[in-house]
Amino acid sequence: MTLAIHIDGPAGAPPLVFLHAIATSAALWRPQVEQLSQRFGVVRVDLPGHGASALLPEGAGFADYADAVAETLSTHGIDRFSLVGMSFGAMVAMQVALRHAARVERLVLACCAARTPPPVAAMWHERIAMVEREGIETQVETSLDRWFTPDFAAASPQTLDGVRGMIRQTPAAGFVAAARIIATLDHMALLPKLAMPCLVLAGAEDKAAAPAMMQDFAAHIPTARFATLPAAHLANVEAPGAFGETIARFVEGQ
């Protein structure tokens, strides 16, 4: 299955592929398009059930999402690329890097977990039940509260409205499918197999993916370096300049 894809930048530029968070879409990466499309081919993929991409068949897991991403990139002639994942997108990116390792030059895992412990899985199941019962609107304001610091939220109402719109536009079935596999996440035993250069990037004020937890799983990746940005969960939105510059330096080997 191929997914919706958005490509910006000059022909022949090094491809830099972006995978977004749950309940958003490729539009999450708009700040990075302006920043990076002069030097890279900025490739943004709508994950299954999000944006303009259809759902995968019922029961699909991380491997299926990863294979759909890889197939989509192949369809567009993108054989070798660096890969950036945010939150749920980073969980998928881990599987892309494991299942299609020869194609991934560098890997960035931003604001994510490598394992969902039972209490967090229970919270995801509660969210799933709410969405199935009452719709995606139940996730809008609680997600914004988790994703941004209070100061940023107060100072950036237009930015929050844009993210609020992405959440509302996410099909309930797409959210539920992604949330179900997040609840099963356990990539810890796979992390030592990641052989490409890897940057694990945390938001210093992220309560959804705490920096200490991310630093712990980064220690299981032999090639990883760890860094933080002054932001909460959606660091590419809250600190777009620092996020883009950090990514660019890493991808260029600095």
Side-chain angles (χ1 to χ4, degrees), residues 19-235:
L19 305 180
H20 59 80
I22 191 173
T24 64
S25 69
L28 183 71
W29 301 108
R30 283 175 183 156
Q32 283 65 57
V33 173
E34 183 175 352
Q35 285 176 301
L36 301 173
S37 60
Q38 299 302 309
R39 293 152 65 183
F40 301 97
V42 176
V43 181
R44 298 171 295 141
V45 178
D46 283 331
L47 291 170
H50 291 70
S53 291
L55 278 168
L56 291 177
E58 187 173 354
F62 280 113
D64 303 293
Y65 279 60
D67 288 349
V69 169
E71 179 182 346
T72 299
L73 297 174
S74 293
T75 299
H76 289 267
I78 302 169
D79 296 320
R80 288 275 291 169
F81 50 89
S82 292
L83 181 59
V84 181
M86 167 66 69
S87 191
F88 174 59
M91 300 171 193
V92 176
M94 293 180 203
Q95 280 286 340
V96 175
L98 288 161
R99 295 174 65 80
H100 306 276
R103 299 179 61 186
V104 179
E105 294 184 359
R106 288 176 175 262
L107 176 65
V108 179
L109 304 174
C111 304
C112 68
R115 177 178 175 270
T116 301
V120 179
M123 289 193 316
W124 277 108
H125 286 299
E126 289 173 6
R127 293 170 191 164
I128 290 166
M130 290 177 66
V131 171
E132 290 182 324
R133 188 172 59 247
E134 302 173 46
I136 195 67
E137 187 67 29
T138 59
Q139 302 305 303
V140 175
E141 298 307 323
T142 55
S143 295
L144 294 176
D145 287 345
R146 289 193 305 273
W147 289 354
F148 299 106
T149 61
D151 287 348
F152 180 82
S156 309
Q158 299 303 315
T159 301
L160 259 69
D161 274 349
V163 178
R164 186 178 281 114
M166 278 188 273
I167 301 170
R168 285 180 171 145
Q169 290 163 14
T170 302
F175 176 91
V176 167
R180 281 180 176 150
I181 63 173
I182 291 173
T184 71
L185 173 70
D186 191 353
H187 288 348
M188 291 299 295
L190 303 175
L191 297 178
K193 299 178 182 179
L194 292 170
M196 68 287 295
C198 181
L199 173 64
V200 177
L201 191 56
E205 299 183 64
D206 190 350
K207 296 179 181 178
M213 177 271 293
M214 293 192 66
Q215 190 166 21
D216 177 70
F217 86 67
H220 291 75
I221 303 173
T223 59
R225 70 174 76 166
F226 175 78
T228 61
L229 294 176
H233 192 55
L234 292 190

